[in-house]
Amino acid sequence: MDKITLEVLRSGKKRTSYELKYRKGMTVLDALVEVREKQDSSLAYRHSCRMGICGSCGMNIQGVPRLACQTQVSTLGKETVKVEPLHGMRVIRDLVVDIDPFLTMHTSVKPYLIRENPSERDNSDREYRVLSEEVGRFLQFDFCIMCGLCYSACPTIALDPDYLGPQAIAQAYRYMADPRDEGWEERVELLDRPHGVWRCHVAGSCSFVCPKDVDPAKAIQLARVEVLKKRFLRKKPRAGSPLVSLVPVVAPKQGTKAPPFDFRKGEAK
Amino acid sequence: MAEVIDHDIIIVGSGLAGLRAAAEVMAASQGKGPTLAIISKLALMRSHSVAAEGGTAAVLYPEEGDSLELHAWDTIKGSDFLADQDSVWKFVTLCPEEMRQLERWGMPWSRREDGRIAQRPFGGHSYDRATFAQDKVGFFEMRTLYDKLQEYDGWSRYDETFVTSLVVEGGAFRGCTAIDMKTGRFVYFRARACVIATGGAGQIWKFTATSVSTTGDGIGLAYRAGLPIEDMEFMQFHPTGLIPTGILITEGARGEGGYLLNSKGERFMERYAPSKMELSPRDVVSRSIMREIAEGRGFKDEDSGLSYVRLDLRHLGREKIDSKLPFIKELSMKFVGIDPVEDPIPIKPTAHYTMGGVCVNDSGRVLDADSRQVKGLWAAGETACVSIHGANRLGSNSTAECLVYGRLVGRDVVRYLASEGTGPRDVVSPQVAKEETRIFDGLMKKETPSEDVYAIKAKLKEVMDRSVYVFREEAALTDAVREVRALKERFKGVRATDAGRQFNYNLQDVLEVDVMLDLAEVVALGALNRRESRGGHSRVDYPQRDDKAWLRHTIASRAESGPQFSFWPVRITMWKPVERKY
Amino acid sequence: MTKNPRFRSGLLASLVPFGFNVERWSYVLHRASGVILIGYLAAHLFETFQLSMGQGAWANTMATLHSLGPLEMVGLWIVAGSALYHGANGIRLVLNEMFGMLMGRPIMPVYPYSPTSLGRNQKLAVWATTAVVLVLWLWAGLYLLAGLGVV
């Protein structure tokens, strides 16, 4: 194809079409940038890294939420590309939506490491011993770039804006599954609520659209199992992993001159 | 009329350095202390720091053969002896604590067999000290710091607020003006302390690994406030940038054993750095690649017209790539359709890291042209130039610098306010009204502009890519200076063509290009003046390093007729400069 | 807030499965079949209650039903299908939600991405339940629609 039409539903109301010449490897973001730079400088959309790691450019392309920087026009297979703002959120302007409710939900699940003794976490010079298999239990859920695509795709969010959302629950589970975390009880409490984990009905669209394979649907069901464990089995959480005691690194006070050192010996390695 | 917002501390920029400083301020003040605001022109998790891939250097295992002296020596030699050696020593002593602190805050570092934090080899380091988390170390560090900040209540976030100018009067920081993108309002942040942590200026070039947001805002803020900026001509060109976008392929790929091949299939690094080969410092590898291409042993991409060489990871095997370099595989498959297990990846040096920046001392306090501390102003991370990286930065040292300096600055700010006092000041500087007029009556004036800001931006990037790239020489640099000055003249006719109030990205683009032009002029002039080759600055006409005349930092200050240059000495406290061979 | 409601939210938006995964389609069908079953439950309770209201009321109810003609049996056939689908899919959902089964374990994502919760086991369950439901539904149709002359 040598020409494409970008049809943008600006602010969710006005449908505007832009004609562009197609270049090999063109992504939807490339098309939007070309529109703003050459045709219509008032087209507002978010973007930053253009490599699918910052999560700014989430928008609804051909009916499904995607990252514009990762969506090749050629894979969409059509000459008209329909772009809309992310569904389920308030539109501020053109393709820019309000992600504050999404961010607030994330903060509300206490997404940080909780230890019974906070000074162990903040004022110590030792490290936790964690085996690779134990990291593997939560690592997948830590890949979340907070793009909001899962939140936008979730049918429960469309119905119920007070629902925590797949991203928040997945992040709560990420910390529950972290062997260094001791906040299992608190998090189960936060999830075991009317608008918490019970509102998920496994539509799976969150995992379907996630650009980083965080698989929030899996995280939510695993979190639900934890909540059930607490409710029915009264199961106690497993103990957090121990601190490794090791010899602190020899760090001279700031300002002391370095001891004499033969750099040739270092270079011989 | 500008709305006035009062906070005790403001942090401009929310990358690694900014978030680390914020975490330190909140931890040090235990929520009972000064009010903190984090201002960023993006949402907080979108900063370019998330794209950092390879690793963070630290001496975690001195009992296994590593040492602080070795790390310091590697850094200083890597900087081509332009680094200030006492600052480097302070830096290397504080790195290990940072790694362990992040780990206790939940960072998912990759682990060794025994459950302790793993490290891998990296370019320029003579010991395997790059602490890594698969190949997304910057992303995980940002996640950990952002999550840590969610624990505290007493801070405000101003997402998508574009800071347009710094108000510095009487040698002290007063506040900064900004535009709130969500509403289009003009805002004045009045504060007692400010940390600038906005990152580098990679977007001046066209073929760059940096985000679209990396336009040198913070460096421009200091420069326009009359503060000096240091060593801007030293730009690091990371050897492996994906064709045709410039997206970064981490040095960790070479650290895990990748080869660089030319069109003859040879590992050409043998000719330039026989002992370290592909793991030489980045400037050495970049120059080698450009030389191979210049001598006709590169490939050419038909669609973009760019020449390249190849990064071969096939011999690493699927398992190693999937476990240690998964992000590289994703980028390569997503953007060029190449699976690194089957085919080599096309790469070329890409503009990556700004060694230069705002002049600071080794506590992060901003200095003015007479080397005096500016009261209440700090800079940290890539924006600052301490200088730790000198003429060339070693890989994995930048994330370490952001963390170490984020912490030092955070602590220093709290200490400063403990003696200085908190609470709002009364006066609103007249500069605020002047800035408002410049933007809203000037750049946003409703008239047809005589120049197109995007055409100017494209031309600037083209000029920089052509003349101020890996190899530089007098005629091309003189041309570059002339063209940048012409573009600055043309910029006077630019107006914002979008009249909207909310999310006026066109206005933001105009303000960014304004700063980019200023910085490009400093870079090009600095490169023209420096008649030697050192680190990331290679002059074809002056190929040798000249310690007698040029072992000094370039300091640029703004004046009516353009940047004024002066020089500061390099602080040499440990090792005298020697020949830099790998 | 009322002037700027969330874009494409609400009941209709939550039930649009176009372009999404097959589990989203089964979510919509589960909701639809649930609504049909609740409607049927109410109607059935009302109808059976008429038995206690005397011969006349019962005869009237039966007459109303039979006056629908073929719609009566087709309606019952749809209700039968809803019950079959809602029950079978419901078992799959119980496995997912209560036991965390068919979801896969946490893995290290490898590009090209394929989430395990929508992977082989889940798809097997979806298609197996669909197959079983279809077979039983068509078989039910043989009985319910016999008198219509269609089958």
Side-chain angles (χ1 to χ4, degrees):
Chain A
M1 58 183 147
D2 52 12
K3 261 219 310 229
I4 59 156
T5 309
L6 200 65
E7 213 179 273
V8 181
L9 189 61
R10 297 180 66 167
S11 296
K13 294 186 215 122
K14 204 171 122 207
R15 203 174 290 278
T16 319
S17 293
Y18 302 100
E19 296 237 337
L20 295 158
K21 200 162 134 296
Y22 173 76
R23 283 189 327 266
K24 182 167 158 248
M26 190 184 221
T27 60
V28 174
L29 182 63
D30 287 338
L32 287 168
V33 168
E34 203 176 305
V35 167
R36 195 202 289 167
E37 293 195 350
K38 301 219 171 77
Q39 295 184 27
D40 182 355
S41 67
S42 70
L43 183 63
Y45 53 86
R46 291 189 173 117
H47 71 301
S48 181
C49 72
R50 61 194 164 94
M51 59 199 256
I53 190 70
C54 72
S56 307
C57 58
M59 50 188 80
N60 196 292
I61 302 173
Q62 309 284 65
V64 174
R66 294 177 230 252
L67 290 183
C69 64
Q70 290 193 161
T71 310
Q72 299 271 347
V73 171
S74 53
T75 52
L76 293 173
K78 294 222 160 69
E79 288 204 358
T80 307
V81 179
K82 291 202 166 84
V83 180
E84 296 182 346
L86 277 182
H87 292 185
M89 309 200 192
R90 286 191 322 120
V91 183
I92 304 180
R93 179 182 167 179
D94 290 343
L95 295 169
V96 178
V97 294
D98 181 13
I99 57 169
D100 283 343
F102 168 73
L103 296 173
T104 315
M105 288 303 173
H106 177 229
T107 310
S108 73
V109 297
K110 302 201 183 189
Y112 41 84
L113 217 57
I114 296 178
R115 293 290 298 185
E116 262 155 42
N117 180 5
S119 72
E120 193 183 81
R121 195 193 45 175
D122 295 327
N123 301 313
S124 168
D125 58 0
R126 302 188 290 163
E127 66 188 64
Y128 290 113
R129 182 197 296 280
V130 185
L131 299 170
S132 283
E133 307 85 70
E134 295 178 305
V135 176
R137 260 190 258 140
F138 67 86
L139 185 63
Q140 179 171 18
F141 312 118
D142 213 6
F143 280 100
C144 176
I145 61 176
M146 299 180 65
C147 57
L149 298 187
C150 60
Y151 188 85
S152 168
C154 176
T156 308
I157 286 288
L159 275 169
D160 175 14
D162 293 325
Y163 173 48
L164 280 178
Q167 194 261 350
I169 302 178
Q171 292 315 301
Y173 183 72
R174 173 253 180 274
Y175 281 98
M176 282 163 74
D178 192 329
R180 300 167 287 189
D181 181 65
E182 288 176 341
W184 189 82
E185 297 257 359
E186 288 179 67
R187 280 189 243 280
V188 167
E189 210 68 42
L190 284 162
L191 294 178
D192 191 3
R193 287 186 187 176
H195 294 281
V197 78
W198 304 112
R199 288 250 147 173
C200 172
H201 305 296
V202 203
S205 298
C206 51
S207 294
F208 181 67
V209 300
C210 178
K212 292 288 158 195
D213 199 13
V214 173
D215 213 347
K218 180 162 65 188
I220 300 172
Q221 310 323 313
L222 291 174
R224 214 194 297 243
V225 167
E226 298 292 310
V227 172
L228 286 171
K229 272 190 205 164
K230 180 160 197 286
R231 272 213 186 180
F232 294 111
L233 303 179
R234 304 251 185 265
K235 199 150 169 166
K236 274 212 197 72
R238 66 179 174 276
S241 72
L243 278 190
V244 175
S245 80
L246 39 79
V247 178
V249 175
V250 173
K253 294 200 191 42
Q254 295 165 19
T256 337
K257 260 177 76 175
F261 173 63
D262 184 352
F263 56 80
R264 275 184 295 271
K265 254 206 297 206
E267 249 191 300
K269 191 175 191 300
Chain B
M1 253 330 283
E3 178 186 333
V4 180
I5 300 181
D6 285 305
H7 281 282
D8 293 317
I9 307 173
I10 55 178
I11 297 181
V12 182
S14 65
L16 274 183
L19 291 186
R20 182 70 184 86
E24 190 67 23
V25 165
M26 295 312 296
S29 58
Q30 292 299 324
K32 299 188 224 66
T35 58
L36 171 68
I38 303 183
I39 307 173
S40 171
K41 73 176 181 188
L42 305 165
L44 291 202
M45 264 296 284
R46 317 281 188 226
S47 306
H48 186 57
S49 300
V50 295
E53 294 168 0
T56 306
V59 175
L60 288 182
Y61 300 110
E63 69 272 20
E64 292 177 13
D66 201 0
S67 73
L68 294 169
E69 290 86 356
L70 202 54
H71 189 185
W73 166 247
D74 286 336
T75 307
I76 291 170
K77 181 177 173 194
S79 76
D80 223 342
F81 298 94
L82 198 66
D84 291 321
Q85 300 187 3
D86 49 356
S87 309
V88 172
W89 181 249
K90 187 170 180 176
F91 161 67
V92 302
T93 54
L94 291 171
C95 288
E97 291 173 55
E98 285 305 309
M99 304 299 105
R100 298 203 161 100
Q101 177 66 282
L102 277 179
E103 198 277 322
R104 289 193 305 273
W105 283 347
M107 174 90 183
W109 294 115
S110 287
R111 302 279 168 167
R112 310 201 295 191
E113 292 290 318
D114 58 0
R116 294 186 63 184
I117 302 175
Q119 298 193 301
R120 69 170 156 204
F122 227 70
H125 291 283
S126 45
Y127 185 86
D128 302 348
R129 63 173 77 92
T131 327
F132 65 106
Q134 288 73 52
D135 54 351
K136 280 178 156 167
V137 77
F139 170 73
F140 284 118
E141 285 173 350
M142 283 286 286
R143 285 292 328 261
T144 310
L145 288 172
Y146 179 82
D147 284 351
K148 178 77 176 125
L149 277 175
Q150 302 310 310
E151 192 175 335
Y152 300 110
D153 278 326
W155 58 282
S156 320
R157 51 190 286 181
Y158 294 91
D159 290 20
E160 296 175 311
T161 304
F162 186 78
V163 174
T164 61
S165 77
L166 217 58
V167 177
V168 176
E169 282 171 353
F173 166 78
R174 301 275 169 218
C176 61
T177 60
I179 300 178
D180 177 4
M181 296 297 284
K182 280 198 196 86
T183 54
R185 280 177 324 178
F186 189 66
V187 172
Y188 178 55
F189 285 97
R190 197 166 49 179
R192 292 194 171 258
C194 171
V195 180
I196 309 176
T198 54
Q203 279 290 310
I204 298 178
W205 283 267
K206 183 164 178 210
F207 193 71
T208 173
T210 58
S211 294
V212 166
S213 57
T214 314
T215 48
D217 299 329
I219 306 177
L221 283 177
Y223 184 63
R224 282 159 168 231
L227 299 168
I229 57 181
E230 188 174 344
D231 288 344
M232 286 302 290
E233 64 266 24
F234 295 105
M235 184 68 188
Q236 181 173 82
F237 293 89
H238 191 291
T240 50
L242 204 57
I243 301 284
T245 43
I247 289 172
L248 192 67
I249 299 291
T250 179
E251 190 162 10
R254 286 173 284 136
E256 296 294 339
Y259 301 148
L260 284 171
L261 303 174
N262 61 13
S263 60
K264 295 216 175 99
E266 328 169 310
R267 280 178 75 184
F268 56 84
M269 285 309 297
E270 184 115 35
R271 236 174 288 147
Y272 304 98
S275 86
K276 282 242 158 100
M277 297 282 285
E278 280 87 4
L279 284 180
S280 313
R282 293 170 178 179
D283 57 329
V284 174
V285 181
S286 291
R287 279 196 290 272
S288 315
I289 295 176
M290 294 308 283
R291 235 174 238 136
E292 289 293 302
I293 292 175
E295 289 171 15
R297 291 187 289 274
F299 304 86
K300 190 144 173 158
D301 178 42
E302 292 308 321
D303 301 303
S304 58
L306 297 169
S307 314
Y308 61 91
V309 297
R310 285 186 160 152
L311 175 65
D312 191 0
L313 300 175
R314 292 174 294 186
H315 55 282
L316 297 179
R318 185 171 292 280
E319 209 190 300
K320 198 167 190 192
I321 292 181
D322 280 348
S323 67
K324 295 253 177 85
L325 299 171
F327 194 38
I328 300 310
K329 179 174 172 205
E330 180 182 343
L331 289 172
S332 161
M333 286 178 77
K334 228 171 17 184
F335 291 102
V336 282
I338 290 179
D339 185 349
V341 178
E342 314 274 317
D343 291 306
I345 308 174
I347 50 97
K348 182 173 109 105
T350 173
H352 177 61
Y353 181 83
T354 317
M355 262 78 71
V358 182
C359 299
V360 298
N361 68 3
D362 63 0
S363 298
R365 294 205 185 208
V366 173
L367 303 171
D368 66 10
D370 303 312
S371 272
R372 278 189 311 241
Q373 293 179 3
V374 176
K375 254 180 89 164
L377 193 59
W378 287 258
E382 194 177 340
T383 316
C385 183
V386 184
S387 141
I388 290 178
H389 309 301
N392 172 62
R393 170 175 78 76
L394 286 189
S396 68
N397 263 353
S398 174
T399 39
E401 181 198 7
C402 291
L403 294 168
V404 168
Y405 271 87
R407 174 182 180 217
L408 283 177
V409 163
R411 271 229 185 130
D412 206 28
V413 168
V414 173
R415 225 180 298 148
Y416 169 81
L417 285 178
S419 59
E420 185 65 22
T422 55
R425 292 208 175 99
D426 292 321
V427 185
V428 173
S429 162
Q431 274 193 41
V432 174
K434 256 193 256 167
E435 178 70 8
E436 193 170 3
T437 317
R438 176 180 85 93
I439 296 177
F440 291 98
D441 296 333
L443 290 170
M444 281 202 76
K445 196 155 162 205
K446 280 188 179 48
E447 60 184 18
T448 329
S450 52
E451 290 291 345
D452 174 18
V453 67
Y454 298 111
I456 293 180
K457 185 160 83 162
K459 190 81 186 8
L460 170 68
K461 287 175 174 246
E462 193 198 305
V463 166
M464 295 301 280
D465 258 18
R466 198 182 349 120
S467 313
V468 195
Y469 204 63
V470 176
F471 283 117
R472 304 151 175 197
E473 60 106 21
E474 178 123 10
L477 286 173
T478 324
D479 260 343
V481 172
R482 194 174 33 85
E483 298 213 44
V484 171
R485 286 197 167 136
L487 287 172
K488 282 181 76 166
E489 261 316 298
R490 283 175 59 186
F491 186 81
K492 295 196 179 133
V494 160
R495 298 280 175 270
T497 42
D498 176 16
R501 296 283 294 172
Q502 298 178 302
F503 281 103
N504 190 337
Y505 282 115
N506 181 248
L507 175 62
Q508 187 177 300
D509 286 340
V510 169
L511 294 169
E512 286 174 353
V513 171
D514 198 5
V515 168
M516 278 159 70
L517 286 169
D518 269 347
L519 295 180
E521 191 184 4
V522 176
V523 173
L525 264 177
L528 181 60
N529 288 345
R530 187 172 278 265
R531 291 182 185 76
E532 63 150 358
S533 288
R534 184 186 292 267
H537 171 68
S538 308
R539 288 283 293 261
V540 172
D541 37 1
Y542 297 95
Q544 296 304 327
R545 197 177 82 192
D546 184 354
D547 283 342
K548 260 218 303 265
W550 284 103
L551 188 60
R552 49 191 185 163
H553 295 296
T554 311
I555 307 294
S557 302
R558 191 182 201 218
E560 270 305 310
S561 54
Q564 297 300 313
F565 289 96
S566 56
F567 299 95
W568 285 356
V570 177
R571 293 196 297 278
I572 306 211
T573 57
M574 297 199 288
W575 295 292
K576 287 254 171 349
V578 295
E579 192 190 348
R580 185 169 169 253
K581 250 210 319 257
Y582 288 96
Chain C
M1 214 36 198
T2 43
K3 285 232 158 169
N4 190 0
R6 296 187 304 145
F7 178 63
R8 296 275 195 274
S9 60
L11 183 64
L12 255 71
S14 76
L15 294 174
V16 172
F18 296 104
F20 283 106
N21 46 321
V22 72
E23 293 84 358
R24 178 72 173 259
W25 288 85
S26 73
Y27 165 88
V28 175
L29 274 176
H30 201 78
R31 297 264 153 306
S33 57
V35 166
I36 292 174
L37 287 173
I38 288 183
Y40 174 70
L41 181 65
H44 185 70
L45 282 175
F46 177 79
E47 178 207 334
T48 333
F49 178 67
Q50 299 311 306
L51 274 175
S52 70
M53 298 294 275
Q55 273 273 353
W58 178 246
N60 278 343
T61 318
M62 283 298 115
T64 321
L65 259 183
H66 293 323
S67 71
L68 289 173
L71 214 55
E72 181 192 352
M73 282 303 153
V74 172
L76 281 176
W77 188 51
I78 292 177
V79 171
S82 301
L84 284 168
Y85 183 80
H86 201 88
N89 197 39
I91 293 177
R92 177 181 73 86
L93 288 178
V94 165
L95 289 177
N96 273 341
E97 299 185 10
M98 252 186 87
F99 301 103
M101 290 175 65
L102 304 171
M103 289 264 137
R105 321 211 80 61
I107 50 145
M108 173 72 171
V110 173
Y111 193 85
Y113 296 135
S114 175
T116 60
S117 65
L118 306 176
R120 206 170 54 100
N121 289 346
Q122 183 82 268
K123 292 284 191 282
L124 215 67
V126 170
W127 295 119
T129 50
T130 312
V132 165
V133 165
L134 263 176
V135 164
L136 289 175
W137 193 39
L138 291 172
W139 190 39
L142 286 175
Y143 286 96
L144 291 171
L145 305 174
L148 292 182
V150 188
V151 181

